[in-house]
Amino acid sequence: MDYIKTLSILEKTVSVPVYHVIGSIGGLPLYLSTEQGEIALYALGKEPLRLTRGPLASVANPRAGEDFVPFTRDLSHGRELHSINIASLKEEEREIYNARARIISMAYNKEKIAFVSQSGNSGGLFLEEGGDVRKLSDISPFSFVRDIGNHFIVGDGMLKGNPKSTDIFIAPLDGGKIDILTPKDGSSNYVFEIHNDTIFFSSDFETGGESSRLYSYNLKDRKYESVKFSGQDIIDYNPVEIYSFDSANKLVIAAKDGETKIFKDGRFVKAMPGSQTGATEIDGRIFFSHSSLVSTSKIMNTDERDKTSVIVRNTHLNAGKVEYIQIHSDISVPAWLMKPKGRGRRIGIVMVHGGPWSSVSNAWDITLAPLVLSGYTVMAPNFRGSTGYGSNFMQMDINDAGGGDLRDVIAARNYLMDNGIVDHVGIMGASYGGFMSFLATAKYPELWEFGIPIAGITDWVEMSRMSDPFFKTFIGMLFGGNIDLMKDRSAVNFLENVKVPLCIIHSQNDSRTPLTPVLRYAQKLHEMNKRFEMHVIPDMGHTITKMKDVVDLFFPALIFLDRIYSKT
């Protein structure tokens, strides 16, 4: 077993920085990066300028023309008790509000910051102004602030109790009654911004949940209108989801078939295959971040002649080759198949993403690259419930978490084995992927040779009891309050079936998927003489904020695999 080689692969992977353009600040591109080993904010002038000191948790959508942006920082070693801070071109970062609570989302203008926060069993919509913070109103825990106008805060969320509907809220800055808009019951609507008295948002209310379009809503005449573009490319593209929209520049990032593209006033902005993860326009030039599953991230720009150039380069890593395929469960399921360079080890890992309302796209992924670089074949299915394939597909796991989506994961496993791609296969995943790894190895032990659940869930009933209002609402959305279904989809109730070795990895301070139920699961594995190992990572929560976190999580997983397949 070559520990040095394994560690070397991990160190090589995490030394490659991630770049993600999020907007502009003071006329300069603003981006997130791990250049110095932790997630931080940078402005791109003649040289990159770091704006934040330590790792940050989240950032508000930057407002063009402003020279500052709010961000949150975790004050509790991963427990997600946040402060709100300001990053600026003019001064050192500064804390403006020590919330010691989970900040779900925030938006700002020159004088104010609006945010949704949850602490214990209380929370709501808050407004910070001049150092003073006041609660404007109660609001559904699953709500997200998107922008502040002259008189209103706007956002979206599950506001009417229907988990298959995402509604728009309009909250007066004076704390009056919140209005809720839904163009059509059951539609998915996501706000981007408010400009004067017009809200811009994406919706699928005219497409039946199969694709997404851009709309405006005028607060005075209360009319919905489609956003018009000069170019036809975005119409022909017919995006499944729209990730961002800058109304002033008519700049759009839209998704389809596992990739994203940029459109300027409806016209396609040329870029390499892969994903454009963020974009902003400054003085007629579009700055954007780009990567693929086999190409590390970089920052690029286009000029007025549509010439594209790389302006922040990155180290190249040969992460093998990737295929975008369709696998067949009882539905068709998109998936990414990543094969290592050369012959590899003929060992497959079905890597289950978190969420479940997330996805694996054709973008550099710090959790997939170390596995492929270590010689493993990785299958990453976008099972039902994944984003990026329309709201109908995303909502298929509501009231069926751990059911149809697990069948899709099993279909991914069968694809690897039935097509002779690998000789051995196991399952791995973090968060919701950790839950699926626990459940798959307990309910279908004969299909797997190993399981590596990271930050997983073993008992939905206990997790619900331990959760704050935000995550209680999330669990309620998944299961509809059906306790029997929650028990049926909890690995703890099928633990005696486990036959394969498990490598359980969990952070000590995880406040989303708490450690306690997993410790109980491990104790029962021990009492039943099951083969497992467990690694508890101190001073870390649910999310990766430092590249050291990747090493802490993946080094034990890779050593575990080496131990099992030392002669393969």
Side-chain angles (χ1 to χ4, degrees), residues 44-78:
L44 184 59
K46 292 182 179 179
E47 298 290 336
L49 173 64
R50 182 166 175 169
L51 303 179
T52 54
R53 290 191 294 269
L56 52 83
S58 67
V59 187
N61 287 329
R63 294 180 70 95
E66 299 292 354
D67 60 5
F68 73 97
V69 62
F71 68 94
T72 63
R73 173 167 289 130
D74 183 7
L75 304 173
S76 55
H77 301 287

Side-chain angles (χ1 to χ4, degrees), residues 343-362:
R343 296 182 60 186
R345 305 182 67 175
R346 294 194 62 79
I347 300 167
I349 300 173
V350 178
M351 186 68 161
V352 188
H353 67 70
W357 302 316
S358 180
S359 64
V360 177
S361 61
N362 191 14

Side-chain angles (χ1 to χ4, degrees), residues 409-442:
V409 168
I410 290 171
R413 177 260 179 212
N414 292 343
Y415 185 97
L416 289 173
M417 297 299 288
D418 294 348
N419 289 282
I421 297 171
V422 298
D423 300 324
H424 310 273
V425 67
I427 186 169
M428 180 177 183
S431 192
Y432 194 84
F435 149 65
M436 295 278 264
S437 300
F438 275 126
L439 192 63
T441 51

Side-chain angles (χ1 to χ4, degrees), residues 249-268:
N249 296 300
K250 290 197 171 181
L251 194 66
V252 178
I253 298 181
K256 189 176 183 179
D257 295 330
E259 296 187 334
T260 57
K261 297 184 183 300
I262 301 173
F263 297 87
K264 165 66 176 176
D265 197 13
R267 297 179 180 87
F268 173 57

Side-chain angles (χ1 to χ4, degrees), residues 125-136:
L125 176 63
F126 296 83
L127 189 69
E128 185 278 337
E129 185 174 11
D132 295 325
V133 175
R134 60 189 173 98
K135 183 175 180 178
L136 293 181

Side-chain angles (χ1 to χ4, degrees), residues 290-456:
H290 170 275
S291 69
S292 74
L293 283 166
V294 293
S295 174
T296 55
S297 59
K298 60 191 76 67
I299 298 178
M300 309 179 72
N301 73 358
T302 62
D303 59 22
E304 61 276 3
R305 298 186 302 276
D306 290 333
K307 182 181 178 182
T308 302
S309 305
V310 178
I311 56 174
V312 178
R313 298 185 179 275
N314 208 338
T315 303
H316 172 71
L317 292 180
N318 191 336
K321 58 182 180 179
V322 62
E323 299 176 53
Y324 184 64
I325 62 174
Q326 296 288 329
I327 56 179
H328 298 283
S329 177
D330 52 310
I331 62 169
S332 183
V333 178
W336 295 99
L337 175 60
M338 301 180 67
K339 298 179 180 178
K341 180 182 178 182
R343 296 182 60 186
R345 305 182 67 175
R346 294 194 62 79
I347 300 167
I349 300 173
V350 178
M351 186 68 161
V352 188
H353 67 70
W357 302 316
S358 180
S359 64
V360 177
S361 61
N362 191 14
W364 185 254
D365 193 317
I366 195 68
T367 66
L368 299 179
L371 304 175
V372 181
L373 289 167
S374 299
Y376 298 100
T377 296
V378 176
M379 172 71 85
N382 283 319
F383 49 85
R384 69 192 77 186
S386 300
T387 55
Y389 299 92
S391 60
N392 289 342
F393 189 82
M394 184 188 76
Q395 293 165 1
M396 289 180 74
D397 64 347
I398 291 176
N399 295 322
D400 191 33
D405 49 8
L406 184 52
R407 292 197 299 274
D408 299 342
V409 168
I410 290 171
R413 177 260 179 212
N414 292 343
Y415 185 97
L416 289 173
M417 297 299 288
D418 294 348
N419 289 282
I421 297 171
V422 298
D423 300 324
H424 310 273
V425 67
I427 186 169
M428 180 177 183
S431 192
Y432 194 84
F435 149 65
M436 295 278 264
S437 300
F438 275 126
L439 192 63
T441 51
K443 277 198 165 185
Y444 303 96
E446 71 281 358
L447 297 180
W448 313 98
E449 293 190 11
F450 61 85
I452 308 176
I454 302 173

Side-chain angles (χ1 to χ4, degrees), residues 162-175:
N162 180 0
K164 294 189 176 183
S165 181
T166 304
D167 314 301
I168 297 169
F169 72 80
I170 304 168
L173 285 171
D174 62 8

